[in-house]
Amino acid sequence: MARIVRVLRKVGVVVFLAALCAVMAARQPEFLSMDNIKDVLVQISGIAIAAVGMTLVILTAGIDLSVGSVLALSGCAGSLAGLRCAEFGPAWMGVSVGFAAAIATGAVCGLLNGLMVTKIPLTPFIATLGVMGVARGMAYYISHSSPVQVTAGMRAIALARPLGIPFPIILMLAIYAIGWLALRHTRFGRNVYAIGGNEESARLSGIRIHTTKILVYTLTGALAAVSGLIVAGRLAWMMPQEGDGFELDVIAAVVIGGTSLAGGQGNVLGTLLGALIMGVVRNGLNLAAVDYNVQKVVIGGIIIAAVAVDVLARRLGRAGNK
Amino acid sequence: MRNLLSLIIIIVGIVLLAGCGKPGSTLPAADAPGKPIVVGFVSPALTSTFHVTLIEAARKEGEKLGWKVESLAPDRETNFAAQVDMVQALVRRKVNAISICAINDSAIMGAVEQANAAGIPVFVHNSLMPLAGGKVEAYIGYDQQKAGRLCGEYAAELLKKKHGDYTGKVYLLLGIPGMHTTERSTGFLSAIGAHPAIEVVAKTPANWERQQAMNVAAAALKATPDIDLFFACSDAMAQGAAQAAREAGKSVFTIGIDGNPDTLKDIKDGVVTASCAVYPGEMGRITLETIRRRIEGQPIPPKVETPIQIIDQTNVDELLQP
């Protein structure tokens, strides 16, 4: 019974997304044009990539509020490093140094989160709230509060279209494939679920809780940096204000996708669907020229509905087991 | 899980197919017979009355022509990516023209280039500063430096009336550092600079906020009790300064820029001395008028300057007429 309810919940998200697409397409014929579908996928790529990390964090019953600020800090750091390097060396060096600097910055922020959550230990909410402020402040500091230009080379990669497919889409799908495989078929993935399911019994069964959690937070920081690079490449500039409120969009994608904030339940494919639902709603309402404030109301409603269905499903599942 | 995986595969498939196909151009253009002309206005956010008034006036002007004026705006002025997404949505719908007031000139360039590639004419409203890239048909806005200069000249005359000569102490309340603040304060200082006996006490940012301006002005009046005049780069800050002077029991001149409806009332009541009205409604109307001329194939100038005027108690009633 519980299993059936869980399957129904998953099918429900897919059906909901399909219905949403049908409504949007009926209202706005442009919605189903290939160019628009690619737009939607590129537009969600930033949120969706960071959401892979967030899914891991939430699966361990944690939360990461710092991803928006980390996106800004690592995007600024990477762009600045890329610019500086391009002055001296060849273009490819500027690009690789820029990417490396951004991802390293993101990973260090994530590592900091992980260390504070495990070694002090602080609750994830507090630790990442602190890093959220620190990273945002540093983003303003290193950029002198003004937009940082992204080098042509770094921009070219974000805008590349191998086989006509925008690179951010390919990158997003690749990261989801890896995330899915890692969660399903590696010991790391099993440990993540075990910690979120019951940390005490995970510890007793010999799982290295600290190592796993630190790895999860570090990965999340690094993925937020990748999102930052995609956003910076799309906009050609990185603003220190960028990603304000981004963490809430990322958490929303995970939650709509059916991952439980209590940990231990959910997966990255649900998260991708969650990000898609948000992207489709935003794009559809943009096409219909509906106020952004209405978009917020609609997405807020979807979050509540998704979680309410989860809770009810779990209740039903439990009743069925008795 | 299977269905989710298959959904991902379907997405990849669609995108791959899209990649093989020719980009865009299967949809009928919006100017096909029977379809009304659609113009999209993209604002930084609709949190201030300025942009709301501007859009309403443009919409009214559009109704006269039987056109549809649609308004899109992110929820807050830091959501750069959302603004780009909105321009993209208008491009996909192949609207007849797009007018943008960019949050950040640099970040919007890519979206302007996309509209250019789709053959959609792009206009920029509320700015006369050329974008570094992309083709813009015309910039429609007021000369911000001139607005500052008008305020400066007016301020000098006020001081002459008070002291019998061009002398006295003025204090500048600045907005968040950027183009708007620089242009407005430069204009004001150039006008004041013609009178060496007028002393500029200080230039302090109050971030466009009434509350902050009130705190800054209160402190300034404590430190320098004989300040004659506050010039604020926006109405809200002038109102803050006026409030601070009232609480300190001092009679000082306060001048702002905007001419918002609530400031006009304050001018009538003698709370604020004067404001340089920039007529957002006129700007909206003129923007649509410029777009109409371009669509009808008439020549248009690359820059269209919209009217501004100093409003004080002598002429405020004209504007307060409904």
Side-chain angles (χ1 to χ4, degrees):
Chain A
M1 180 66 191
R3 199 183 146 70
I4 295 169
V5 169
R6 224 173 296 146
V7 170
L8 277 179
R9 164 66 167 80
K10 277 176 199 154
V11 175
V13 177
V14 180
V15 170
F16 180 71
L17 179 61
L20 206 59
C21 290
V23 172
M24 297 298 180
R27 284 197 54 133
Q28 299 288 340
E30 305 86 355
F31 177 79
L32 284 181
S33 75
M34 276 311 148
D35 283 334
N36 191 59
I37 291 172
K38 282 191 241 174
D39 278 357
V40 173
L41 293 173
V42 171
Q43 285 165 11
I44 67 164
S45 60
I47 289 174
I49 288 172
V52 173
M54 189 66 83
T55 308
L56 296 179
V57 169
I58 292 179
L59 280 175
T60 66
I63 195 85
D64 188 346
L65 300 178
S66 69
V67 287
S69 301
V70 170
L71 173 149
L73 175 61
S74 42
C76 285
S79 306
L80 282 170
L83 273 180
R84 198 54 59 82
C85 230
E87 281 170 19
F88 303 113
W92 63 266
M93 218 172 85
V95 173
S96 34
V97 168
F99 282 0
I103 292 168
T105 308
V108 168
C109 292
L111 178 67
L112 202 65
N113 279 330
L115 287 173
M116 287 193 291
V117 166
T118 51
K119 301 295 179 192
I120 297 183
L122 294 177
T123 59
F125 188 95
I126 297 300
T128 60
L129 184 68
V131 171
M132 175 181 175
V134 170
R136 179 67 66 191
M138 284 174 69
Y140 274 99
Y141 184 77
I142 63 168
S143 67
H144 303 288
S145 302
S146 52
V148 183
Q149 191 166 15
V150 178
T151 60
M154 287 168 72
R155 192 161 187 228
I157 290 185
L159 296 183
R161 299 170 78 92
L163 298 170
I165 309 166
F167 179 68
I169 300 180
I170 298 173
L171 186 63
M172 171 176 77
L173 294 177
I175 289 174
Y176 272 88
I178 295 168
W180 184 79
L181 288 173
L183 274 178
R184 293 288 301 208
H185 297 292
T186 66
R187 184 189 292 168
F188 166 72
R190 282 190 292 276
N191 290 353
V192 166
Y193 280 109
I195 291 172
N198 188 330
E199 192 166 329
E200 194 48 38
S201 52
R203 190 193 325 275
L204 292 176
S205 61
I207 291 172
R208 291 159 75 181
I209 310 253
H210 286 192
T211 316
T212 309
K213 278 193 178 176
I214 290 171
L215 189 55
V216 163
Y217 281 93
T218 308
L219 275 172
T220 304
L223 286 171
V226 174
S227 297
L229 288 169
I230 296 286
V231 171
R234 276 191 73 205
L235 297 179
W237 291 75
M238 192 67 201
M239 264 68 63
Q241 306 94 312
E242 189 60 61
D244 174 28
F246 177 80
E247 60 282 344
L248 299 180
D249 279 344
V250 173
I251 294 170
V254 177
V255 168
I256 293 173
T259 296
S260 161
L261 280 179
Q265 268 183 27
N267 59 71
V268 288
L269 297 183
T271 301
L272 181 57
L273 287 172
L276 264 172
I277 286 176
M278 285 166 60
V280 165
V281 167
R282 288 210 170 122
N283 175 262
L285 295 179
N286 274 344
L287 286 176
V290 175
D291 200 356
Y292 199 83
N293 298 317
V294 176
Q295 301 183 19
K296 295 188 93 172
V297 173
V298 172
I299 289 172
I302 291 175
I303 295 173
I304 294 172
V307 179
V309 167
D310 271 351
V311 172
L312 292 177
R314 213 159 301 142
R315 254 226 216 93
L316 264 176
R318 242 184 325 222
N321 278 349
K322 271 176 196 166
Chain B
M1 188 55 62
R2 273 294 128 71
N3 0 355
L4 295 188
L5 196 62
S6 53
L7 186 94
I8 304 301
I9 292 166
I10 291 168
I11 294 173
V12 178
I14 290 174
V15 173
L16 273 170
L17 276 175
C20 303
K22 269 184 211 139
S25 77
T26 46
L27 287 159
D31 55 359
K35 271 200 164 183
I37 290 189
V38 179
V39 179
F41 272 71
V42 182
S43 316
L46 292 177
T47 47
S48 79
T49 50
F50 181 92
H51 289 288
V52 176
T53 314
L54 190 152
I55 300 291
E56 271 318 303
R59 189 170 279 156
K60 254 188 218 148
E61 192 68 12
E63 273 169 16
K64 284 189 211 158
L65 298 165
W67 292 8
K68 257 177 96 178
V69 170
E70 292 184 344
S71 150
L72 287 168
D75 55 333
R76 56 188 185 277
E77 295 204 0
T78 49
N79 211 340
F80 307 96
Q83 215 188 17
V84 171
D85 295 350
M86 286 169 177
V87 176
Q88 275 186 345
L90 290 170
V91 170
R92 292 301 170 231
R93 287 179 54 202
K94 300 186 167 52
V95 295
N96 300 77
I98 302 174
S99 188
I100 304 170
C101 176
I103 301 178
N104 182 289
D105 282 357
S106 318
I108 207 76
M109 261 160 29
V112 172
E113 282 162 5
Q114 278 193 19
N116 292 155
I120 299 172
V122 177
F123 299 79
V124 166
H125 63 267
N126 194 31
S127 169
L128 294 172
M129 299 283 265
L131 295 187
K135 182 171 176 278
V136 175
E137 304 289 328
Y139 295 84
I140 299 104
Y142 70 95
D143 182 340
Q144 306 215 23
Q145 213 177 93
K146 189 168 140 197
R149 205 162 55 235
L150 287 183
C151 289
E153 286 162 5
Y154 182 84
E157 293 308 321
L158 280 178
L159 293 175
K160 190 180 180 205
K161 234 179 266 170
K162 184 178 175 189
H163 297 297
D165 199 2
Y166 294 114
T167 178
K169 290 187 177 174
V170 300
Y171 195 102
L172 268 66
L173 293 165
L174 308 179
I176 295 169
M179 185 268 286
H180 299 284
T181 292
T182 312
E183 290 284 303
R184 295 175 194 187
S185 59
T186 306
F188 181 86
L189 291 171
S190 75
I192 287 287
H195 311 291
I198 297 177
E199 182 195 338
V200 176
V201 176
K203 298 175 276 184
T204 311
N207 299 346
W208 307 119
E209 286 171 14
R210 184 183 307 215
Q211 182 75 37
Q212 212 164 330
M214 198 173 144
N215 296 342
V216 170
L221 283 169
K222 278 211 186 76
T224 320
D226 57 343
I227 290 174
D228 296 294
L229 184 144
F230 283 96
F231 166 69
C233 288
S234 75
D235 270 1
M237 295 192 294
Q239 287 171 311
Q243 194 60 36
R246 272 202 158 182
E247 281 186 5
K250 291 195 186 285
S251 160
V252 298
F253 300 118
T254 46
I255 304 175
I257 292 183
D258 283 332
N260 290 335
D262 53 326
T263 318
L264 296 181
K265 221 184 142 292
D266 275 356
I267 291 174
K268 189 171 169 58
D269 297 342
V271 179
V272 171
T273 317
S275 172
C276 182
V278 300
Y279 303 104
E282 269 302 283
M283 198 183 290
R285 196 190 62 74
I286 293 172
T287 303
L288 203 82
E289 168 69 16
T290 311
I291 294 172
R292 180 188 66 79
R293 292 179 55 165
R294 166 65 176 74
I295 287 180
E296 290 178 356
Q298 298 175 35
I300 51 167
K303 281 188 184 182
V304 183
E305 211 183 306
T306 57
I308 52 175
Q309 192 193 356
I310 296 281
I311 302 297
D312 60 12
Q313 272 193 325
T314 61
N315 60 356
V316 68
D317 283 328
E318 294 164 28
L319 265 87
L320 280 173
Q321 300 295 325

